[in-house]
Amino acid sequence: MSDTAIILDNVSKHYRLGKIGSGKIHEEITNFLKKGNKKNTEKEIVKSLNNVSFEVKKGDSIGLIGRNGAGKSTLLKILSKITTPTFGTIKGQGRIASLLEVGTGFHPELTGKENIFLNGSILGMKTHEIKSNLDEIIEFSGIGKYIDTPVKRYSSGMYVRLAFSVAAHLNSEILIVDEVLAVGDVDFQKKCLNKMGNIKSKNGRTVIFVSHNMNAISALCNKTVLLEKGELVNYGDTDFIVNQYLNKPLQNESIKSRKDRTGNGEIQLLEINFFDIQLQNYISSPISGNNYIIELKIKLNTEVIDFTKVEIALGINDIYGNRISLISNKVSGEPIQILENNSIHIVRISIHKLSLSNGTYSINSFISNNGIINDWLKEAISFTIEKDQFFNQSEFSFNNGMGNFHLNYTYLNNA
Amino acid sequence: MNIENWEITNKKSNIISKLLEVWNSKDLLFVFVKRDLTTFYKQTLLGPIWFVIQPILSTLVFMFAFGKIAGLQTNDIPKPLYYFSGIILWNYFSDCFIKTSTVFKDNLNLYSKVYFPRLILPLNIILSNLTKFLIQLCVLICITIYYKYQSIIPGIQIQMLLFPLLFILIALFSLGLGLIITSLTTRYRDLSLLINFSVQLLLFSTTAALPMPSNDSIYKEIILLNPMTNYIEAFRILIIGKGYFSYSSFGVSIILTTIILLTGLNLFFKVERNFVDTI
């Protein structure tokens, strides 16, 4: 395995639901007595990763992509040795350093310099390595003046710069990076990426990088792994895989079979789809600035429903789970119009000039009748907005300071 | 270049290789110890003096409550010396034990973001508390010298040099107990509620505050089963020159300490691999 950095062989991670922390003596005893009886517990196992195998060559930069719940973070945690795989093995060569967080272990009371030693050691550097790199780290961070000030007095920008400088000077053969690059200012990020890239070309460093940001993946990684529901869908050249990922239909089959619903089930959501305005084509990756129709297919499980009292709402969340916006007929004050077509009921919502900016979003669905919850589903679907044509610009470079929304604004021409 | 090979599976690696891994990360251990020492002093007025005030106050309370009111004897050792020596050693034990017993819970943030040998943090607790104890020990030695020149106690002799060995036993005992509790509390949280309470009760199964019974009784046998009783008494012999010692009960204490330490390490190494999933 001289040119191989990491080999994953049938790596799986299973979680048992509901069994952890029940904390009651009688349940623990019954569980213990039932141990031989596997059938009982099988249902409650969640396969967060299932038989994932691939091989990483030395010097490769591997992107790891997939929707929420695809198993990316689980795989990162296993690679970082934070948790172990349930089955399977990973073999590798070379020191691993993983960056799952900016400034892990930073202590607010300690000075910048003291934190360099603390953070560097936690990330796996030896004290003499930090000492020999200290001047370079301080210079790279650009906060030399404040290096003997406690970091609790730093601005968040300075804090992040210091943390990144330490990370950029890690000299492990393998580097695992979670989406930590999503914070901090853009110029400094580029500087860090360059620095990491330099190390890569010099020593044949292997990088595994997880991100929702396809631009970053395309810029950084020569190969990409696509995960879905814990399984490896494809592995290959980044351009090809990223394309495949973006053109996947939304995860609709799963809505019908989802069990983690709340509500009495009188009305149930079956599908959510994005269509163009003519209802001709399914849309998998909407473009900011265009018009769309969101179509909901629902099932009625009761005979009589007074639709004037029904609320059908979609809550749009960002990747961190923060609510960005809510689409609801109670907010807009409109009654629900149901189209009945071969016993399938359809609700359509027209979106005028989609104003979400680049990024990945998920939708929570909520259906209630007269204040009683019928069907409430978290993360019913997720989708990614890749292109931004809100202002009819053809060339438009995305950066992180954009936020989630475009206001519909114009610069006035006073002349 | 020397490139290490590694393997990640769900198999449990053996205790020896785990301990070797800790040894290789001793740099990190020292950085943590340094962190705890520096952060303690920052923005305090009296700094290390706090370490001394607390046991002195406890000693005064014990002298009043046990000595004056209850009229308990202190085995021919001057009361301040008896209580102070018992309290500082007991406090070292209970601080280490209580802190170690919540190490998984307290450091979840760190543990779930980066890998380093997990045992580093419990060891850090043992070592960081050592400085506090050493400062208190200096005070104890000062008090002992005072009484020595009054010719009340033999004290401060060559056998004091054996103290580091005794200290290692106490550190390992509290480490072992703490590791057992922290490993069990990742699943059963209510155990941690018991700890503070039972440590307070345990104090009275030692001779930290109560006197050693002069004649053989079932009570004496019970308190001698507690390794801390033997360690506190041995500590008094080494520093003050007076105390209780029997080879058999000290031997039992060493065996118990070894068993508890090995059990603790085993449980800890078993739980550390997946505890971030359950806690």
Side-chain angles (χ1 to χ4, degrees), chain A residues 13 28 80-81 83-86 89-96 107 109 114 121-122 126-127 152, chain B residues 1 3-10 24 27 31 39 42-43 110 112 114-115 188 273-274 277-278:
Chain A
K13 179 80 184 177
E28 288 294 335
S80 318
K81 296 213 278 181
T83 181
T84 59
T86 316
T89 39
I90 305 175
K91 284 182 186 165
Q93 248 186 352
R95 262 170 72 182
I96 292 191
H107 196 291
E109 297 286 344
E114 288 167 330
S121 307
I122 290 174
K126 299 278 175 219
T127 307
K152 65 178 177 184
Chain B
M1 201 160 82
I3 292 182
E4 54 171 322
N5 285 307
W6 45 264
E7 192 178 296
I8 300 173
T9 58
N10 70 347
N24 288 331
D27 276 17
V31 171
T39 51
K42 293 215 169 165
Q43 297 200 342
L110 197 52
S112 64
V114 64
Y115 178 81
Y188 311 103
R273 299 175 306 136
N274 283 314
D277 305 336
T278 55

Side-chain angles (χ1 to χ4, degrees), chain A residues 11-13 47-52 67 69-72 74 226-233:
Chain A
V11 176
S12 302
K13 179 80 184 177
K47 293 177 180 174
S48 190
L49 272 183
N50 206 7
N51 292 327
V52 172
R67 299 185 201 285
K72 296 175 307 238
T74 309
L226 174 58
L227 292 175
E228 197 179 301
K229 291 177 203 154
E231 310 214 1
L232 186 137
V233 179

Side-chain angles (χ1 to χ4, degrees), chain B residues 100-250:
Chain B
T100 311
S101 70
T102 54
V103 75
F104 276 137
K105 206 177 72 194
D106 294 346
N107 298 288
L108 181 61
N109 227 345
L110 197 52
Y111 277 145
S112 64
K113 289 299 178 196
V114 64
Y115 178 81
F116 51 88
R118 281 17 188 148
L119 194 63
I120 293 276
L121 288 182
L123 290 176
N124 170 38
I125 294 169
I126 304 286
L127 285 183
S128 299
N129 275 318
L130 172 61
T131 25
K132 174 174 158 189
F133 177 75
L134 286 180
I135 293 170
Q136 295 169 343
L137 184 64
C138 290
V139 177
L140 176 69
I141 289 174
C142 292
I143 307 175
T144 313
I145 290 173
Y146 170 78
Y147 282 106
K148 185 183 167 68
Y149 280 99
Q150 310 252 318
S151 303
I152 297 174
I153 45 154
I156 316 293
Q157 285 166 351
I158 189 75
Q159 73 252 34
M160 244 181 87
L161 297 177
L162 282 173
F163 173 70
L165 290 179
L166 176 68
F167 180 79
I168 290 173
L169 277 176
I170 297 163
L172 294 181
F173 179 60
S174 51
L175 178 71
L177 271 187
L179 292 183
I180 291 175
I181 301 298
T182 195
S183 305
L184 295 179
T185 44
T186 57
R187 270 178 160 269
Y188 311 103
R189 284 201 179 183
D190 40 0
L191 273 180
S192 62
L193 298 175
L194 273 175
I195 297 306
N196 282 309
F197 172 67
S198 43
V199 165
Q200 279 170 15
L201 283 186
L202 264 179
L203 173 65
F204 298 104
S205 69
T206 69
T207 53
L210 302 178
M212 176 67 84
S214 48
N215 48 351
D216 287 343
S217 64
I218 186 81
Y219 172 66
K220 186 173 180 179
E221 274 170 44
I222 289 173
I223 65 169
L224 278 176
L225 262 182
N226 184 343
M228 277 314 287
T229 307
N230 292 284
Y231 295 155
I232 289 172
E233 287 301 313
F235 176 59
R236 287 185 177 134
I237 291 181
L238 293 185
I239 307 292
I240 304 168
K242 280 183 183 175
Y244 176 90
F245 184 82
S246 109
Y247 281 104
S248 59
S249 62
F250 199 83

